[in-house]
Amino acid sequence: MNNARKGLWLALIVLLTAALSGCGGSGQAQKVKIGEVTRSVFYAPQYVALEKGFFKEEGLDVELQTTAGGDKTMTALLSGAIDVALVGAETSIYVYQQGSDDPVINFAQLTQTDGTFLVARDDPGEFDWEKLKGSVFLGQRKGGMPQMAGEFTLRKHGIDPHQDLELIQNVDFANITAAFVSGTGQFVQLFEPQASIIEKEGKGHVVASFGTESGKLPYTVFMTKQSYMKERPEVVQKFTNAVHKAQRWVQSHTPEEIAETVAPYFKDTDMDILVSSIKRYQEQGTYAETPALAEEAWNNLLDVMDSAGELNERVEAGKLVDNSFAEQAVNTVK
């Protein structure tokens, strides 16, 4: 082979190698870090997406961490420690109210109702909300969605949470169940599986659902910074596709099947508790059927925040919600 032909072949090999290298790079899984506000069976579809490999199918390498609390989760997102946050939509409004030049945008809803239940220490027989008047109520953190939805429900039933009962709000989220078990409060607001565990141990009785009472809300939503969304729209779309695959799977499977799938994330929780918790959430329509965030639900959120005195101004959904990824996922994921 003469030198000219050899040089031509070398040049072609270099070009082909570069092209293949480029293809290989684009084919590699893209890393996405999620920060969940807490570990909860309330977020079952997220764990289904991980366990069933739906994120991997979309070419994403997802790393999940629990960022324990709305404030910490939002701090992690704004600082770049995580790429996507799973937290209440109200946190995006708080950031907006502070005048951020890089607002946080909600793009895929996971849960569409409050996830807490009213637990009574003593069996109240036929329950009536009037029984809360004059009682000691162990609530949630001020400004958080559980507490705001709880107060919204109490007011709906003619109860002023700050006048008609003794409201305790100085217990950390992680310690609320233990505080109730140790004797604090006559009523408590709990997520699953804590509510079911309390019932099973005979230390309380689930008497009402705040999710049913407070209506549809963008309670827990995947969100990211506007800058991240503009720089990596394809990642956000793949992420939303995976979420919708999980939503469809959850809608078509039994509580037992879902519990078996998410069990690795709840190794210290008995299977029967997982099943009963998921069944409660399924029955009240807690798990969103699509990632799209409805304007009506957003407006209900504004009403809940306004009622709690946490809203400086009503923020239109269009400013902090981008449903385009959700809409495409619904149209393409079958």
Side-chain angles (χ1 to χ4, degrees), residues 256-269:
E256 290 78 10
E257 291 168 325
I258 299 168
E260 185 177 350
T261 300
V262 305
Y265 297 88
F266 303 94
K267 294 180 179 178
D268 297 328
T269 304

Side-chain angles (χ1 to χ4, degrees), residues 5 57 73 79 91 186 216 264 267 271 309 312 314 329 333:
R5 183 173 295 179
E57 286 179 6
T73 302
S79 68
T91 56
Q186 295 165 270
K216 293 290 182 67
K267 294 180 179 178
M271 183 59 69
N312 294 343
R314 294 186 73 85
V333 173

Side-chain angles (χ1 to χ4, degrees), residues 306-322:
D306 190 34
S307 176
E310 299 291 346
L311 191 66
N312 294 343
E313 62 174 295
R314 294 186 73 85
V315 185
E316 293 179 4
K319 291 184 177 180
L320 297 179
V321 176
D322 187 337

Side-chain angles (χ1 to χ4, degrees), residues 180-209:
F180 183 73
V181 170
S182 67
T184 302
Q186 295 165 270
F187 292 90
V188 65
Q189 186 177 356
L190 294 177
F191 283 92
E192 289 286 17
Q194 286 74 24
S196 288
I197 292 172
I198 291 289
E199 271 198 321
K200 183 179 180 181
E201 295 176 348
K203 297 175 181 176
H205 308 268
V206 174
V207 296
S209 162

Side-chain angles (χ1 to χ4, degrees), residues 61-76:
D61 176 14
V62 169
E63 176 186 308
L64 177 65
Q65 57 184 286
T66 303
T67 37
D71 294 344
K72 291 180 180 178
T73 302
M74 197 51 57
T75 297

Side-chain angles (χ1 to χ4, degrees), residues 10-182:
L10 287 173
L12 287 172
I13 290 171
V14 170
L15 288 172
L16 183 59
T17 302
L20 290 174
S21 176
C23 292
S26 62
Q28 292 177 354
Q30 294 164 292
K31 188 82 170 181
V32 180
K33 296 181 180 179
I34 305 177
E36 59 174 4
V37 66
T38 188
R39 176 60 50 86
S40 175
V41 68
F42 189 43
Y43 309 145
Q46 173 185 240
Y47 311 124
V48 166
L50 288 163
E51 282 299 295
K52 290 296 179 181
F54 295 144
F55 287 117
K56 288 183 179 179
E57 286 179 6
E58 293 292 329
L60 300 180
D61 176 14
V62 169
E63 176 186 308
L64 177 65
Q65 57 184 286
T66 303
T67 37
D71 294 344
K72 291 180 180 178
T73 302
M74 197 51 57
T75 297
L77 181 64
L78 295 175
S79 68
I82 58 175
D83 305 308
V84 173
L86 178 64
V87 65
E90 81 283 356
T91 56
S92 66
I93 295 176
Y94 290 145
V95 171
Y96 179 83
Q97 288 181 162
Q98 293 169 4
S100 172
D101 57 359
D102 191 5
V104 174
I105 307 299
N106 300 275
F107 67 88
Q109 181 172 253
L110 193 74
T111 62
Q112 60 186 5
T113 73
D114 183 285
T116 59
F117 296 86
L118 179 63
V119 179
R121 183 175 302 283
D122 301 314
D123 188 351
E126 186 176 347
F127 176 69
D128 189 312
W129 288 91
E130 286 289 315
K131 293 184 178 181
L132 270 72
K133 288 187 175 180
S135 70
V136 180
F137 186 96
L138 181 53
Q140 300 273 339
R141 179 180 63 84
K142 183 181 184 300
M145 272 307 300
Q147 183 61 34
M148 291 192 293
E151 291 188 16
F152 185 76
T153 296
L154 293 177
R155 290 192 177 94
K156 188 176 79 171
H157 288 281
I159 302 170
D160 186 326
H162 298 283
Q163 299 293 328
D164 296 336
L165 46 76
E166 181 183 342
L167 179 61
I168 299 176
Q169 290 182 277
N170 60 354
V171 178
D172 289 340
F173 177 82
N175 298 323
I176 289 176
T177 303
F180 183 73
V181 170
S182 67

